[in-house]
Amino acid sequence: MNAQQPHTPVTVLGLGAMGRAIAGAIHRGGHPTTVWNRSAGRADDLVAQGGVTLAPSAAEAVRASPVVVVCLLDDASVRDTLAALVDPLAGRLVVNVTTVTPNQARETATWAAEHGIEYLDGAIMAIPEMIGLPVASLLYSGSQAAFDTHRNLLELLGGARWFGEDAGLASLYDLALLGSMYSMFAGFAYGAALVGSEGVPAAEFAEMAAPWLTAMTGGLAGHAEHFDSADYTAETQSLTFNKAAVDTIAEAGRDQGVGTEVIAVVQHLIDRQITAGHGKESFARIFEGIRRPPTGGGGNEGR
Ligand code: NAP
């Protein structure tokens, strides 16, 4: 059941590219919308379209609505901004969609609870142009009551999924997905540099790489089975076989005069496992050196 009244007033703090997209979608959804931004001028377009109110101060913006969406640059800007708003925020809901770490989200949730503020942490799997479209996906964690009550409002921004009362979970999933994405893009950059060393345009390479990488995502579930079971029995290729391939990929990079840092990371992960005696196991075994680095986090030594 969704108990939300249709047009809960909403305040948006932060009118960068994402905050403006969010405020616009909430306003189009019929909610009285109040906005505030540290620097002047960011609300001009929204206000010119009519119906969005620019508050003269953050405190006045907060007092205008029971729901306050916070979309600032980073955790430090959120802390600085919210610390000055303890009194007006009391009894209201903060939905913080700023990108933060899980621990930062948990700390803000604890701070909010100490001050009588309801808290929902959000993570945006979208760019501003996607906000309000079905392709946008937002992850939430923290107050389930707030998520359930305001689900219709949250779905104005895109698909909405709640991950648990632990406020850090939305960010955990967000950063896990982004970490996978950045690694893939870095790998693509290496491939583009390699063929680019012989004058092949990156655009031409992208046409080949996109279907290749898409096909390779079919292997994720198999890797996950190894990860979850911690059984790395190789069905086909062993780590020793993969080492030969990856070393050749790196040697080609050196021969062609391109940077090999990206592929060197993969070499390092493989070598770590082979050194530890796992050369006959599958490539998925590199997961063990990532999830339990010997130094207890971000470790660089073999396991
Ligand atoms: P942005 O365009 O750079 O805007 C940053 C906003 O933060 C501005 O409103 C800025 O105010 C404000 N700000 C920065 N420092 C501040 C401080 N110390 N005190 C008060 N306000 C401060 O960034 P954005 O694209 O809107 O992104 C906002 C959040 O959404 C980020 O956490 C980002 O990671 C996340 N996100 C963005 C995207 C995207 O594609 N853009 C995608 C997913 C998630 P001023 O105007 O005064 O500088």
Side-chain angles (χ1 to χ4, degrees):
M1 282 291 289
N2 193 312
Q4 186 197 353
Q5 296 302 309
H7 293 135
T8 307
V10 178
T11 286
V12 178
L13 302 181
L15 297 175
M18 188 55 85
R20 287 200 304 278
I22 288 172
I26 290 171
H27 169 58
R28 285 193 299 280
H31 294 260
T33 306
T34 301
V35 296
W36 170 84
N37 192 67
R38 176 182 62 173
S39 312
R42 293 272 205 157
D44 291 354
D45 287 356
L46 283 167
V47 172
Q49 288 164 25
V52 172
T53 305
L54 174 63
S57 70
E60 286 182 59
V62 167
R63 287 196 185 94
S65 313
V67 177
V68 178
V69 177
V70 179
C71 187
L72 300 174
L73 182 64
D74 57 9
D75 183 62
S77 52
V78 171
R79 280 170 191 246
D80 287 354
T81 303
L82 297 191
L85 299 171
V86 169
D87 288 343
L89 280 173
R92 300 176 202 276
L93 167 66
V94 165
V95 183
N96 179 21
V97 296
T98 306
T99 302
V100 298
T101 67
N103 278 348
Q104 288 167 344
R106 290 173 185 130
E107 284 164 18
T108 304
T110 301
W111 173 89
E114 287 168 359
H115 293 93
I117 302 161
E118 201 171 16
Y119 187 75
L120 196 55
D121 202 82
I124 308 167
M125 308 308 303
I127 57 172
E129 293 73 17
M130 292 159 64
I131 293 297
L133 303 176
V135 70
S137 160
L138 283 86
L139 322 179
Y140 296 96
S141 53
S143 169
Q144 181 174 19
F147 180 81
D148 290 344
T149 302
H150 296 287
R151 187 158 190 162
N152 286 352
L153 162 64
L154 301 175
E155 286 184 342
L156 290 174
L157 308 182
R161 182 171 165 191
W162 180 79
F163 286 84
E165 290 280 348
D166 172 358
L169 289 176
S171 149
L172 188 73
Y173 278 89
D174 176 36
L175 300 180
L177 290 168
L178 291 177
S180 307
M181 179 196 77
Y182 277 113
S183 304
M184 180 193 72
F185 282 138
F188 171 67
Y190 178 73
L194 204 51
V195 294
S197 67
E198 296 296 342
V200 178
E204 184 183 321
F205 182 61
E207 282 179 22
M208 295 178 69
W212 166 249
L213 291 174
T214 302
M216 289 302 100
T217 62
L220 294 181
H223 282 252
E225 264 182 47
H226 284 298
F227 299 168
D228 288 338
S229 66
D231 177 353
Y232 297 101
T233 307
E235 280 122 37
T236 50
Q237 299 167 355
S238 68
L239 262 175
T240 308
F241 175 91
N242 291 133
K243 176 177 170 55
V246 173
D247 285 352
T248 303
I249 294 167
E251 186 179 345
R254 285 189 294 276
D255 289 348
Q256 296 297 129
V258 305
T260 55
E261 293 93 335
V262 172
I263 204 72
V265 171
V266 185
Q267 287 181 291
H268 174 70
L269 291 168
I270 291 173
D271 288 344
R272 184 189 274 184
Q273 295 306 318
I274 292 177
T275 302
H278 302 291
K280 290 186 177 154
E281 297 181 38
S282 84
F283 178 82
R285 173 87 213 183
I286 66 165
F287 182 61
E288 291 299 324
I290 296 170
R291 78 164 154 187
R292 289 196 205 94
T295 51
N300 295 315
E301 294 163 35
R303 179 187 177 84

